[in-house]
Amino acid sequence: MAVELDVFVGNTTIMDEEVYQLWLDGYTVNDAVKVRMEGGVLEECETSADVLLSDTMDQYRTFQMCERLLHSPAKLANQLLFQIPPHRQAILIERYYAFDDAFVREVLGKKLSKGTKKDLDDISAKTTVTLKSCRRQFDNFKRVLKVVEELKGPLVENIRQHFLLSDKLARDYAAIVFFANNRFETGKRKLQYLTFQDFAFCAGQLINNWTVGAVGEPVDHQRSSRVYMDVDLDKEFLQELKELKILITDKDLLDQHKSLVCTALRGKTKAFNEMEANFKNLSRGLVNIAAKLTNTKDVRDFFIDLVEKFIEPCRSDRWTAADMRLYLTHYTNSAHILDTFKHQVVWDRYMGVIKSCIFKMYHD
Amino acid sequence: MPGKLKAKIVAGRHLPVMDRASDLTDAFVEVKFGNTTFKTDVYHKSLNPQWNSEWFKFEVDDEDLQDEPLQITVLDHDTYSANDAIGKVYIDIDPLLCSEAASVISGWFPIYDTIHGIRGEINVLVKVELFNDLNRFRQSSCGVKFFCTTSIPRCYRAAMVHGFVEELVVNEDPEYQWIDRIRTPRASNEARQRLISLMSGELQRKIGLKVLEMGGNAVVGYLQCFDLEGESGLVVRAIGTACTLDKLSSGSAPSTNTHIHPNTAPASNACNSPSKDGKESPLAHGCRSTHNSPVHSACSSQRLSQNFSVSVPTLIFTGMGSGGSAGKDAGPLKTLLRQQTQTALEQREFPFFTLTSFPPGFLVHAGGVVSARSVKLLDRIHNPDEPETRDAWWEEIRQEIKSHAKALGCHAVVGYSESTSICEEVCILSASGTAAILNPRYMREGCLDIGSTDHRFEEPSPPSCGFCHIPYDELNMPFPAQLTYCYHCRRQKVPDVLFTTIDLPPEAAVTGKGCLIQARLCRLKKKAQGEVNATAISNLLPFMEYELHTQLMNKLKLRSMNALFGLRIQISVGENMLLGLASATGVYLTALPASGGIQIAGKTPGDLSNEHHILTIQKRINDTIAKNKELYQINPPELTEEAVGSPIPEPRQRSRLFRSHSESSDELSELDLSHGKKDAFVLEIDDTDAVEDIHSLLTDTPPPTGFYSCNTEIMPGIYNWTSGVQMFTSVRVFRLSNANLTNQGLNKIFTDLCENLLKSFYFKLRSMIPCCLCHLNVTVAVPEEELIQVAVTAVAMTFDKDQTQEKPAEKVIQKGSGEIEEQLQFPLELCADSSSTSTQQSSKISGTVSLLTPAAKLCHNQLVMVRSAGVPETSNVSSRAASVDYGSFADRCSTWLELLRLKAHTIRRGSVKTSRRTQSLAHSVSSLERGSPLPEGRSRSLRSNRSFGGSSVTVVKMTPLSFLPGTRIIKYLGIINMFFIRETTSLREEGGVSGFLHSFIAEVFAMVRAHVAALGGNAVVSYSMKECVLMENPNKNQAQCLINVSGDAVICVRETDQEPVSSSTNIGQSCSSGTDGGAT
C-alpha cells in the first residue's frame, strides 16, 4: 500500500521559504523532512510526518520545475506557467543566486571550467557545503560570466539587469566574474585569512578605478567591444604605471618623499620609528607592484604581492589600522608635493585603489 | 455569410530550440478555421520571432463560428524534411459572438503540445464581425450567454427563469478508431482534443437554440460533462438552466462580499405579512434514491428514502401524489400560489434547476434530497446522429427524480446535477437534486420586477426559516419524520434534519459555524462481466447509499448540527470495488431542532466488561460532541439549564412579543410541551457495522485551529472575507498492494486517504490562517484495479478573525451608525408602505430603528450575548431509546427523529431580520466599512499595485466560487471550457507520475489564465475541474492524462473602485485585489 501519486498545484504557486532554502542547500527530500521535523513544525501545526513528506516532495518538484526559469530570471517575470507574485519572484531569484562565502572563497580567481568543476567534490568535502549546492553555485558563476563577458557597459549594472539581482548580490557577482576573468590568486596560504567580502571590496575598487569602463564613455568607438568592458584592467593605465618607478629609482626623489612623509608623521604614532626605518622597503614594494602589472602573471599575484610586500612587514611591526591609514594617506599625499614627480594622475588612480584595498585587507 | 473572423499573428517568445546546429528555430504559423488555412512567413533563426502578419480573414457561417475553434499551429520550417510542429493553440471564439462579452481576443497564449507540454508563447489578435441574419430557421444561437455559475450572475438580474435545458451529442472516440493504430500519439491526441472541442461547440449551440425557443437569453449553471465510454464512443452532454437575464447598471450591482442581494430588502417585507396558515406548508428533509439496472425490469428498481423506512431490496412508493401534498387546511392564498406554481412548472417536462443559490424569494420550501441511480451496460453507439439510447437513459432517470420530488410534495428540483461513473462496459448514471417548492413569479411573464411584486404570492414565512418548512403534507408524510414547529417562526412545521444539494440561502438563520462532513465507503465486489456485473453493482448500490447516509447522519449528530447543504454523493465503480463518497456542509439551522447526541448501547446489558467498553466509547463520543460544539460555536453551554428546564422561559416569550404575531402564545405552549424531553440516537455496538460506524466517526480529526472547511459557496458563520485567495487542485492516487483486503480494511484506507489529504491542505495553507477552505470538491475514481484516485479542487480564503461573529449588515450598522441614519429613512418608509399596517408591524420597525441609532453598539453586544445562548447538552437521554433494536431501519430512524429537541428562541432572530431589512443600506455603506484606514491593508495594496505594474503577465485569479471576496464583477466575458490531453513516453525523466501530473495541472492553469487574460479578464469564477483521467504504464515509461476544466471569465474590480451610488461615503480603498495575499 503506497501513495502512488501525490500532487498539489495552486493557482498562485505555493512556496515555503524554509523548504526552498533546504532545497538550495542540496538536502535530499528525506533529509529536508528530518530538518523540518527537528524544527518543531509537527507540533506547531498539529500534523504528521506523512504530511510533511508529501509537502516537501511537492515543493521540491515545484522548485525543480522553476529551476529552468531561474537560469534566465528575466523569463520568470513573463512566463505563464507559474503565477508567482513579483516580490516572491525576487526572493526566489535572490536566494537561488546567493552563495556560501566558504564555497566562493575556494573557487575565487579560479578558471570557471570543467576542470574546476571536477574539483567540486573536494571543495564540498572541505567546506561542508553539499555537492549539489556547490554545483548550483558554480553553475551560477559560470552562467553569469558567460552572459556578461559578451556585454558592453558597466559590469554590475549588466549583472543586475540580466539576472534581476539586488545591488549587493550583483556587486558580489561582479567581483566573482572579475576575479575569474583575471585569475587573481587567492588560494595561497598567506591569503587564507582574507574573506570573500575583503576580496569583493577590492574587486569593486579595481572595477571602479582600474578598468576601461571606469574612465567613463569610451573615446574611440572603433575599438573592439571587449576593451570597453569592466571585466578587464585598462591596459593603457597599466603601461602608464611603469612611469611610477621613478619614485624608487630616483634616489633624490625617494629621499625627498621619505622626509616629507616622516615630517608629517612625526609624533603622531607610536610606530613612527618602524615607519621611518621601513619607508624605502615599503615604497619599493608598492611601486614595484605597480610597475609589474603589465605582466598577466603579476596581475594574478597582485594580492599576494600586496600581502608579502606591504601588509606582512607592517604587521610584524605591529602597526595598528589607524597607523596604516595615517601612513598611506601621507605617503600618497606627499607625492604631490614632489616637484619632479609628473605622474600625479596615474599616482592617484593607483594609490586610491591600493589604499582602500590595504585598509580592507589589513586586519589587526 | 453571416460572419467574418479575423486573426493576426503578432509574435512568439520563448520558443524551444528546434535546430540543434544553430540553437535557434525557423518558426512560422498556420492559422486554420474550418477547412481554410493561412500561413505566415517563416521568421528565420529566432526564439522570439516577430511575424506581425496581415489580418487573415475567414468568411464563415455563424453556426461554424459556434462549433469550431480557431486552430493555430506553430511549426519549425525545414528545407529538406517535413516541417516539425512545435505546438498548437485552440482558441474558442464563442465569447466574441456575444455583444455583451469580449470584443477582441488579444494576448499571449501558451503553445501547447500534447507530448511536450507548453513550448513557448504566441501573441495573437482575433476579432469577429457578425452580420445580422434574419433567417428564422437558423441553426446558430449566437448571443446566448453561458454561465457555469450556479446562481444568477452578479451583474445581472433574473427577469425570468425558464427552466431546464439539456442536450447530448455522441461520437466515436478517435482513440478507438482503426486509424489510431497507424498514427502517432500526437496526431491521435490532437484529433481527440479537436473533436471534443467541436462537440462542445455543437452542444453549446444546440442548447442555445433551445434557450432561444424558450424565449430566454442565457444559460446559468451550465454543466458540461464527457463520458469516455471507450470502445462504445464518446458522449458529451450538458445541462443548464435557461433564463432571461437583464444587465444591471453598474450602480446597482450587488457587492460580492456580502453575498446578499440588495434587493432582498423589499422582499423581506413580506416576512410578517399576517397570513396564518401555519400548518399548511409542512416541510421536511428526506432523501430518496433509486437504482435500477438494465438487467432488471423497471419495476425492480429499489428506492430508499433518507430515513430508510424502506427495506431493501424493493419498495415502491404509493399514493404520494403532488396533489395530496397541497395540504387539506391550506389557506386560499396558499392554494392559489401552489396552483399557479404548478401550472407554471408542470408545463415543463422537467421542472429542474441547476442553480444552487437563488434570487431572494425564489425558493419557498426545500423538501429534501432526491436522487436516482441506474446501472447500464454500454454498447457501441451505431449512429452518432441519433443518440437515442443515451437520451432515453437520462430521460428515465429524470422521470424518476421528478416522481421522487412529487412524493415529497414538491413541484420542482433545484441544485440538480447529473454524473456518470464508467468502468469497462458498466456505467452508473446518477442524478440528484433537492426537491423544492418555488415561487412562481420568476416563471411567469411580466412579473419580473421584485419591487412591484404581487404580495399575494410572497411566501408567508420569513426567509430566514421559510425554506426549512416542510412542503409535504404532515398527515401523509412520504417517510416517517419527526416534525416540530419551526424554532424560528413557530408557525409551521420543520423536520428534525434537512439534507439539500443547494447552497445555504444567504438569509437563512444559522447558529455557529458550518463544517465539511464527509462519509466515505469502500465495498469490494467480485470481478464479473456483462449483466452479472451490472446486477452485482445494482445490488450493492442501495446498501452503499444507506451506509453513506448513516455515516452522514452520525457525523452530523457528532457535530450537533441539523442540516446538510451542498450534499453530493458520488459512487464510483471499479473492477473489483465500489467507492462511495458523500460530501456536504453541516450547519446548525436555527429553525430546526437541536441534535440530541448519540448514545451507545450494548446488546447484552449483563456483561460487565462489555459495559465498561461501552461506557468508554460513550464518554469519547460525548467529549467529541462537546468539543465540536465549542469548535463550531454551536450553543456554548452557559444557558443550558434554562433551555432544558422550562418549556417557555419568560424572557423568551417577551422576545417573541417583540416580534409578535397574534397566535403565537397558543402555538408556543403546544410546541414546547411536546418536546419536554430529549432523546439521543442509539448505536448498538454488538453490531459490527456499528463498531465500524463508531470508528469512522471518531477518526475524523477536526481541522487545526484557524481553519474551517466547507463544500458550499460560502461558509455558514463567516461573513467578512479578506482578499487572500488561493485556488488549488490536488490529486492523490493510492495503490492497494494487499490483495486480501476486507471491506473494513479498505474503508480504513480510504478514510485515511481522505483525512490525510485534508490534513495536507491545512498544512500547506497554514500561512493563510485564519482561513476557510471553500467549495471543497472531492471526486473519487478507481482508475485501475488496485488504485484509488482522489482529486480535489477548492479555494482557501482568508477572513478577518475579529469579526466572524457578526453578519455583515450588523457589522456595518455598528460601525457606520452615525453616518447612515439619513439614508435609513428610505428603506424604512418602504417597509412601512409596502406591508400591511398592523400594529405589530410598526413595532417591529421601531425595533429596527433602535438598532440603527448610535446606541447600536450597545444593542449589538447584547445580541451577541443572547446568541450564545445554548442548546442543552444531552443530559437526559430517554430510556426508551436504549431499547431500540439496531437492526430495524425504521426504528433506528424514528429514534433519530426524536433526538432533536427544543432550542432556545432568542432575540437574535429579530436582529438578523433587522439586518436583512436594511441590507440595501448595508451594501451602500460597505465601502465605508472597508475603507477604514487599516494601515496593513493599505500598504499591502500599494505594494501589490507597484510590483504588478512591472510584470508583463496579467494576474488572473481563479476560484470555484461565483465571486471573489473584496471585489465586484463588472463584466462576464464568456465561458471557459477547455479540454487537454497530455501524454509522455519519458515518464521517469519527467519525475514519475507525480512530476508528469504536476506540470500538466500547472500547464492547464496557465492556459486557462492566458485565455482569460486574452479576453481582457482578470479572474475565473465558478472554476471547476470536471475530469481528470490519468492512465499510466510505468513499465513502458508512459502515461496519459485528460483534463477538462470550465469556468466563467470575468473582469472584477476592487469593491471600492468605481463606487456606485454611495460614492460619498467612499473614503479610500483598503482591500487589495491584486495579490493572492496569504499564499506562500
Side-chain angles (χ1 to χ4, degrees):
Chain A
M1 278 168 286
V3 174
E4 176 117 345
L5 176 156
D6 180 9
V7 296
F8 178 101
V9 189
N11 183 36
T12 303
T13 306
I14 292 187
M15 291 173 172
D16 183 308
E17 288 181 25
E18 187 201 346
V19 185
Y20 186 51
Q21 194 56 53
L22 292 169
W23 178 73
L24 290 174
D25 289 344
Y27 284 82
T28 63
V29 172
N30 287 331
D31 290 347
V33 170
K34 260 180 232 157
V35 173
R36 296 181 81 185
M37 273 159 83
E38 281 157 16
V41 75
L42 284 191
E43 296 72 31
E44 205 178 293
C45 305
E46 311 162 36
T47 194
S48 68
D50 288 349
V51 169
L52 207 56
L53 177 67
S54 145
D55 178 60
T56 312
M57 299 251 275
D58 243 358
Q59 304 248 7
Y60 266 53
R61 236 183 353 253
T62 310
F63 300 142
Q64 270 153 25
M65 285 159 71
C66 278
E67 192 165 15
R68 189 176 50 82
L69 297 167
L70 287 165
H71 289 169
S72 41
K75 271 191 191 167
L76 197 64
N78 60 12
Q79 52 84 33
L80 303 176
L81 192 55
F82 298 104
Q83 186 159 281
I84 307 170
H87 67 275
R88 200 156 280 277
Q89 288 180 13
I91 295 175
L92 284 181
I93 296 168
E94 192 78 4
R95 293 267 189 92
Y96 189 79
Y97 283 89
F99 47 79
D100 292 305
D101 281 359
F103 172 78
V104 73
R105 192 61 190 76
E106 292 297 319
V107 294
L108 194 63
K110 284 187 183 152
K111 203 172 167 190
L112 299 176
S113 64
K114 288 225 170 81
T116 313
K117 198 165 181 182
K118 280 180 190 151
D119 300 337
L120 290 182
D121 287 5
D122 301 336
I123 297 177
S124 166
K126 188 176 166 193
T127 56
T128 69
V129 175
T130 58
L131 183 59
K132 207 175 153 236
S133 179
C134 289
R135 291 220 176 97
R136 171 183 59 85
Q137 297 179 34
F138 186 78
D139 290 343
N140 283 344
F141 299 159
K142 257 177 75 174
R143 193 175 314 112
V144 174
L145 175 66
K146 194 179 168 212
V147 168
V148 295
E149 71 184 358
E150 307 292 326
L151 295 171
K152 299 178 185 180
L155 184 58
V156 176
E157 196 48 40
N158 280 341
I159 293 174
R160 197 164 52 204
Q161 275 182 10
H162 273 81
F163 292 92
L164 308 176
L165 302 178
S166 68
D167 191 56
K168 167 80 174 68
L169 198 54
R171 282 178 196 287
D172 285 351
Y173 267 93
I176 292 163
V177 167
F178 187 74
F179 268 66
N181 193 56
N182 292 291
R183 310 276 302 283
F184 287 111
E185 177 60 66
T186 65
K188 286 273 159 57
R189 207 175 50 79
K190 280 181 179 167
L191 295 177
Q192 284 306 316
Y193 79 97
L194 292 169
T195 66
F196 168 71
Q197 284 309 327
D198 294 336
F199 283 118
F201 175 83
C202 298
Q205 290 297 314
L206 266 65
I207 292 166
N208 287 335
N209 298 294
W210 288 4
T211 59
V212 182
V215 196
E217 285 294 302
V219 199
D220 183 356
H221 287 272
Q222 299 305 311
R223 287 190 286 178
S224 95
S225 65
R226 268 191 78 87
V227 182
Y228 308 139
M229 292 216 333
D230 285 356
V231 185
D232 297 306
L233 296 174
D234 183 350
K235 293 261 159 53
E236 282 172 30
F237 166 67
L238 297 183
Q239 282 297 333
E240 284 163 9
L241 282 178
K242 289 192 177 227
E243 311 288 341
L244 299 181
K245 268 199 130 171
I246 195 162
L247 279 176
I248 50 171
T249 48
D250 185 326
K251 184 94 175 43
D252 289 349
L253 215 51
L254 185 60
D255 289 339
Q256 214 179 336
H257 194 188
K258 179 180 173 181
S259 71
L260 280 169
V261 173
C262 290
T263 315
L265 287 174
R266 193 183 306 276
K268 289 183 181 161
T269 166
K270 286 179 183 165
F272 177 74
N273 291 334
E274 289 85 353
M275 285 179 186
E276 192 176 25
N278 271 339
F279 180 85
K280 285 185 180 172
N281 266 342
L282 293 175
S283 188
R284 271 193 204 106
L286 288 183
V287 174
N288 274 330
I289 292 173
K292 287 194 302 177
L293 281 179
T294 41
N295 296 327
T296 322
K297 167 78 180 64
D298 290 306
V299 171
R300 289 184 194 170
D301 287 342
F302 176 69
F303 291 100
I304 191 111
D305 285 345
L306 275 186
V307 170
E308 284 179 351
K309 301 281 158 54
F310 194 86
I311 292 172
E312 283 188 340
C314 300
R315 195 185 285 142
S316 65
D317 288 341
R318 297 178 186 286
W319 292 22
T320 64
D323 294 338
M324 179 65 79
R325 199 168 288 271
L326 197 66
Y327 176 82
L328 282 178
T329 311
H330 288 293
Y331 177 72
T332 311
N333 294 344
S334 303
H336 294 303
I337 313 169
L338 299 171
D339 309 331
T340 50
F341 185 61
K342 303 294 180 204
H343 310 288
Q344 306 291 356
V345 177
V346 178
W347 175 250
D348 274 353
R349 192 174 170 190
Y350 177 68
M351 278 312 293
V353 170
I354 293 292
K355 240 184 351 186
S356 15
C357 286
I358 291 177
F359 290 161
K360 191 73 186 173
M361 292 164 71
Y362 192 78
H363 298 185
D364 272 330
Chain B
M1 190 69 48
K4 195 187 267 180
L5 170 68
K6 301 196 295 177
K8 183 184 170 98
I9 307 299
V10 184
R13 68 183 182 196
H14 306 158
L15 294 190
V17 170
M18 298 300 282
D19 178 5
R20 287 276 161 78
S22 64
D23 267 3
L24 290 168
T25 296
D26 303 320
F28 72 101
V29 182
E30 280 182 8
V31 187
K32 189 177 172 197
F33 189 82
N35 295 318
T36 319
T37 308
F38 293 102
K39 282 183 193 176
T40 67
D41 298 332
V42 177
Y43 195 94
H44 287 284
K45 303 211 177 301
S46 172
L47 300 182
N48 300 294
Q50 304 290 322
W51 293 290
N52 224 341
S53 79
E54 57 185 306
W55 282 98
F56 300 122
K57 298 187 182 85
F58 302 87
E59 297 182 332
V60 281
D61 285 343
D62 50 357
E63 188 182 333
D64 289 339
L65 281 174
Q66 286 195 291
D67 287 7
E68 295 261 357
L70 179 69
Q71 181 181 318
I72 294 167
T73 313
V74 186
L75 298 111
D76 177 50
H77 176 75
D78 212 325
T79 319
Y80 304 108
S81 58
N83 299 325
D84 295 321
I86 296 173
K88 280 190 156 76
V89 180
Y90 294 96
I91 300 177
D92 179 10
I93 44 176
D94 223 43
L96 295 182
L97 304 181
C98 180
S99 54
E100 281 171 45
S103 58
V104 63
I105 296 176
S106 163
W108 290 99
F109 291 89
I111 302 168
Y112 181 71
D113 178 72
T114 60
I115 307 293
H116 293 105
I118 291 179
R119 306 174 93 188
E121 291 123 35
I122 185 169
N123 196 310
V124 181
L125 260 166
V126 186
K127 284 181 183 173
V128 170
E129 281 170 30
L130 274 184
F131 313 133
N132 270 338
D133 182 14
L134 300 174
N135 178 5
R136 292 189 49 185
F137 304 102
R138 59 183 190 158
Q139 290 297 299
S140 83
S141 53
C142 290
V144 174
K145 296 179 284 286
F146 285 78
F147 301 92
C148 293
T149 302
T150 57
S151 55
I152 299 305
R154 299 274 159 161
C155 45
Y156 291 92
R157 193 191 54 159
M160 188 152 156
V161 182
H162 300 279
F164 192 59
V165 280
E166 49 82 29
E167 188 58 77
L168 176 155
V169 292
V170 300
N171 212 315
E172 259 188 288
D173 190 338
E175 187 101 336
Y176 295 87
Q177 285 164 340
W178 68 267
I179 196 171
D180 205 58
R181 292 179 200 171
I182 53 168
R183 66 182 164 195
T184 62
R186 176 182 283 118
S188 167
N189 291 339
E190 283 174 1
R192 247 174 143 187
Q193 283 190 169
R194 196 180 128 71
L195 177 70
I196 288 186
S197 180
L198 271 173
M199 286 168 78
S200 19
E202 183 190 341
L203 194 70
Q204 219 167 306
R205 173 172 58 82
K206 286 184 169 171
I207 290 224
L209 281 172
K210 290 189 175 179
V211 172
L212 290 176
E213 252 168 56
M214 294 166 99
N217 64 4
V219 182
V220 180
Y222 184 68
L223 175 72
Q224 185 191 288
C225 294
F226 300 94
D227 297 332
L228 300 166
E229 297 185 350
E231 289 283 339
S232 52
L234 187 65
V235 176
V236 186
R237 54 190 166 79
I239 55 175
T241 306
C243 296
T244 304
L245 298 183
D246 290 344
K247 192 149 172 55
L248 292 170
S249 62
S250 65
S252 53
S255 85
T256 50
N257 83 326
T258 59
H259 66 258
I260 294 172
H261 289 257
N263 44 16
T264 45
S268 66
N269 293 338
C271 68
N272 51 359
S273 65
S275 72
K276 177 203 172 355
D277 45 7
K279 299 197 173 85
E280 184 276 329
S281 120
L283 104 11
H285 72 304
C287 172
R288 293 154 48 91
S289 57
T290 55
H291 313 275
N292 60 46
S293 80
V295 290
H296 294 268
S297 63
C299 67
S300 74
S301 62
Q302 299 128 8
R303 295 152 201 249
L304 276 178
S305 81
Q306 186 213 316
N307 299 8
F308 311 115
S309 57
V310 190
S311 64
V312 184
T314 307
L315 186 138
I316 299 189
F317 269 114
T318 50
M320 289 304 297
S322 62
S325 66
K328 287 162 185 132
D329 52 348
L333 277 183
K334 192 77 177 190
T335 317
L336 182 58
L337 168 123
R338 192 150 279 173
Q339 278 165 358
Q340 290 241 3
T341 317
Q342 274 171 358
T343 47
L345 280 166
E346 272 164 11
Q347 289 160 359
R348 299 185 175 86
E349 189 182 10
F350 296 114
F352 296 172
F353 300 86
T354 52
L355 303 177
T356 57
S357 66
F358 314 94
F362 183 81
L363 176 71
V364 181
H365 302 302
V369 172
V370 285
S371 76
R373 287 180 210 281
S374 141
V375 184
K376 298 291 183 190
L377 280 176
L378 298 172
D379 54 353
R380 191 171 269 282
I381 299 168
H382 295 291
N383 182 2
D385 293 330
E386 310 231 331
E388 292 128 341
T389 6
R390 304 299 186 275
D391 269 339
W393 289 354
W394 286 111
E395 167 104 21
E396 211 174 281
I397 288 218
R398 289 172 193 145
Q399 289 294 355
E400 197 82 52
I401 291 276
K402 192 178 171 185
S403 70
H404 289 330
K406 271 194 174 161
L408 285 173
C410 294
H411 56 213
V413 176
V414 293
Y416 179 74
S417 66
E418 295 176 347
S419 63
T420 58
S421 168
I422 297 170
C423 175
E424 303 286 320
E425 50 184 359
V426 175
C427 174
I428 303 181
L429 310 183
S430 312
S432 73
T434 305
I437 290 186
L438 304 179
N439 190 320
R441 71 166 185 250
Y442 285 94
M443 264 75 72
R444 283 181 296 131
E445 214 77 54
C447 50
L448 321 171
D449 221 319
I450 294 163
S452 68
T453 306
D454 184 346
H455 274 280
R456 289 180 306 150
F457 292 105
E458 278 301 340
E459 81 271 36
S461 0
S464 53
C465 65
F467 72 95
C468 315
H469 301 163
I470 53 169
Y472 40 80
D473 178 8
E474 195 183 347
L475 303 170
N476 203 5
M477 285 195 297
F479 44 78
Q482 176 80 23
L483 301 181
T484 55
Y485 278 99
C486 174
Y487 280 68
H488 184 229
C489 68
R490 310 253 165 171
R491 279 182 288 155
Q492 299 183 12
K493 291 287 179 78
V494 296
D496 54 345
V497 175
L498 180 65
F499 284 15
T500 72
T501 57
I502 56 171
D503 278 325
L504 179 73
E507 59 269 18
V510 170
T511 302
K513 291 198 172 64
C515 78
L516 179 76
I517 294 182
Q518 278 192 327
R520 303 131 183 162
L521 190 68
C522 269
R523 279 290 172 264
L524 290 165
K525 82 174 182 59
K526 286 211 175 72
K527 269 194 237 179
Q529 297 292 314
E531 294 195 353
V532 183
N533 196 17
T535 315
I537 292 171
S538 58
N539 285 343
L540 270 172
L541 285 179
F543 291 97
M544 292 193 66
E545 236 165 309
Y546 168 73
E547 284 288 333
L548 287 169
H549 275 114
T550 310
Q551 272 192 40
L552 281 177
M553 194 62 103
N554 287 344
K555 290 185 179 181
L556 189 68
K557 303 248 175 261
L558 201 64
R559 288 166 179 78
S560 302
M561 294 174 182
N562 57 18
L564 289 180
F565 288 89
L567 177 63
R568 192 164 160 274
I569 301 179
Q570 199 200 350
I571 292 189
S572 219
V573 59
E575 262 181 76
N576 61 342
M577 66 173 131
L578 287 170
L579 282 185
L581 181 74
S583 310
T585 300
V587 180
Y588 188 106
L589 283 180
T590 318
L592 265 50
S595 154
I598 298 171
Q599 203 205 342
I600 304 294
K603 213 159 201 169
T604 47
D607 190 343
L608 271 178
S609 67
N610 198 19
E611 207 102 300
H612 179 71
H613 181 55
I614 289 168
L615 281 176
T616 334
I617 296 179
Q618 181 72 58
K619 187 171 181 308
R620 276 179 68 195
I621 287 185
N622 290 347
D623 289 351
T624 315
I625 291 179
K627 228 189 295 167
N628 281 333
K629 277 190 176 176
E630 203 174 312
L631 183 62
Y632 303 113
Q633 296 159 12
I634 295 170
N635 309 311
E638 294 96 63
L639 295 179
T640 302
E641 290 305 313
E642 191 191 348
V644 177
S646 58
I648 323 159
E650 277 299 300
R652 219 154 282 136
Q653 198 167 28
R654 228 176 277 128
S655 78
R656 286 186 37 98
L657 283 174
F658 169 66
R659 304 189 52 251
S660 67
H661 24 105
S662 48
E663 77 283 8
S664 62
S665 47
D666 291 355
E667 276 189 15
L668 241 191
S669 51
E670 181 192 354
L671 172 79
D672 290 336
L673 288 174
S674 63
H675 299 295
K677 59 186 188 324
K678 289 191 72 66
D679 303 289
F681 166 54
V682 177
L683 275 179
E684 241 180 62
I685 59 157
D686 282 358
D687 193 309
T688 45
D689 276 356
V691 172
E692 205 181 308
D693 283 352
I694 291 166
H695 280 295
S696 69
L697 270 182
L698 294 171
T699 46
D700 277 11
T701 43
T705 326
F707 266 110
Y708 293 93
S709 54
C710 63
N711 76 333
T712 46
E713 280 255 312
I714 44 163
M715 175 67 169
I718 298 178
Y719 304 99
N720 35 354
W721 302 107
T722 48
S723 58
V725 169
Q726 172 66 275
M727 190 282 291
F728 61 88
T729 289
S730 182
V731 182
R732 262 189 204 189
V733 175
F734 199 81
R735 184 176 288 281
L736 310 162
S737 58
N738 188 349
N740 304 318
L741 276 171
T742 58
N743 275 335
Q744 257 140 319
L746 214 53
N747 272 344
K748 169 121 183 35
I749 289 170
F750 184 39
T751 304
D752 289 350
L753 180 59
C754 294
E755 283 287 313
N756 283 334
L757 201 55
L758 289 176
K759 270 188 213 160
S760 78
F761 299 158
Y762 298 140
F763 181 71
K764 282 212 185 274
L765 300 163
R766 63 193 184 283
S767 67
M768 291 179 80
I769 286 178
C771 99
C772 178
L773 301 185
C774 293
H775 215 284
L776 203 80
N777 186 357
V778 186
T779 52
V780 290
V782 192
E784 273 172 51
E785 200 170 313
E786 283 177 336
L787 297 183
I788 298 179
Q789 177 186 316
V790 183
V792 182
T793 296
V795 63
M797 302 208 292
T798 55
F799 60 90
D800 191 347
K801 197 162 195 174
D802 299 335
Q803 294 159 4
T804 53
Q805 305 281 319
E806 295 125 48
K807 281 218 173 191
E810 291 175 353
K811 179 178 70 194
V812 167
I813 288 161
Q814 187 184 343
K815 285 199 174 182
S817 54
E819 292 94 319
I820 58 180
E821 260 180 306
E822 283 169 48
Q823 297 170 12
L824 237 174
Q825 297 309 320
F826 174 66
L828 285 181
E829 274 162 22
L830 205 138
C831 264
D833 289 348
S834 58
S835 54
S836 57
T837 54
S838 69
T839 49
Q840 291 96 348
Q841 193 79 37
S842 57
S843 80
K844 179 153 191 186
I845 288 169
S846 70
T848 311
V849 172
S850 78
L851 258 182
L852 292 164
T853 56
K857 182 155 190 169
L858 204 140
C859 261
H860 182 80
N861 290 342
Q862 246 171 333
L863 292 172
V864 172
M865 271 182 56
V866 175
R867 176 169 345 156
S868 64
V871 156
E873 271 290 328
T874 66
S875 46
N876 54 346
V877 173
S878 109
S879 56
R880 185 178 60 81
S883 66
V884 174
D885 183 355
Y886 178 83
S888 151
F889 294 166
D891 286 356
R892 186 173 178 180
C893 295
S894 65
T895 319
W896 285 344
L897 301 173
E898 282 164 16
L899 306 178
L900 308 170
R901 285 308 150 192
L902 174 63
K903 168 181 165 356
H905 185 84
T906 68
I907 293 174
R908 175 173 175 247
R909 293 301 128 243
S911 82
V912 171
K913 272 178 180 270
T914 305
S915 65
R916 232 175 316 98
R917 256 165 196 287
T918 54
Q919 60 198 228
S920 58
L921 189 157
H923 168 62
S924 65
V925 186
S926 67
S927 65
L928 177 131
E929 177 268 321
R930 296 219 135 248
S932 62
L934 286 168
E936 187 196 358
R938 183 175 288 258
S939 67
R940 197 208 274 175
S941 94
L942 284 177
R943 190 182 64 217
S944 67
N945 287 348
R946 187 170 3 104
S947 42
F948 278 111
S951 161
S952 59
V953 181
T954 320
V955 172
V956 176
K957 290 194 167 195
M958 290 162 74
T959 176
L961 307 180
S962 63
F963 66 99
L964 277 165
T967 66
R968 209 154 45 79
I969 295 171
I970 54 166
K971 194 171 184 185
Y972 281 82
L973 298 166
I975 198 167
I976 296 282
N977 187 2
M978 298 168 99
F979 178 85
F980 298 105
I981 302 178
R982 180 86 152 77
E983 188 165 343
T984 184
T985 47
S986 50
L987 190 57
R988 270 188 297 277
E989 294 77 356
E990 293 195 34
V993 264
S994 293
F996 170 67
L997 190 63
H998 192 139
S999 50
F1000 185 34
I1001 293 176
E1003 282 166 355
V1004 169
F1005 284 0
M1007 288 184 279
V1008 170
R1009 288 193 301 254
H1011 277 79
V1012 172
L1015 288 170
N1018 60 4
V1020 186
V1021 296
S1022 299
Y1023 170 84
S1024 73
M1025 183 172 79
K1026 283 188 255 143
E1027 205 81 61
C1028 177
V1029 185
L1030 178 73
M1031 285 154 288
E1032 49 160 334
N1033 189 340
N1035 295 332
K1036 283 190 179 169
N1037 208 17
Q1038 289 176 340
Q1040 191 194 38
C1041 186
L1042 294 81
I1043 287 184
N1044 175 218
V1045 295
S1046 65
D1048 293 326
V1050 299
I1051 303 176
C1052 58
V1053 294
R1054 279 183 300 173
E1055 205 144 53
T1056 41
D1057 286 353
Q1058 289 177 31
E1059 190 57 31
V1061 239
S1062 62
S1063 54
S1064 57
T1065 58
N1066 186 355
I1067 295 172
Q1069 328 89 326
S1070 70
C1071 70
S1072 111
S1073 65
T1075 177
D1076 284 10
T1080 48

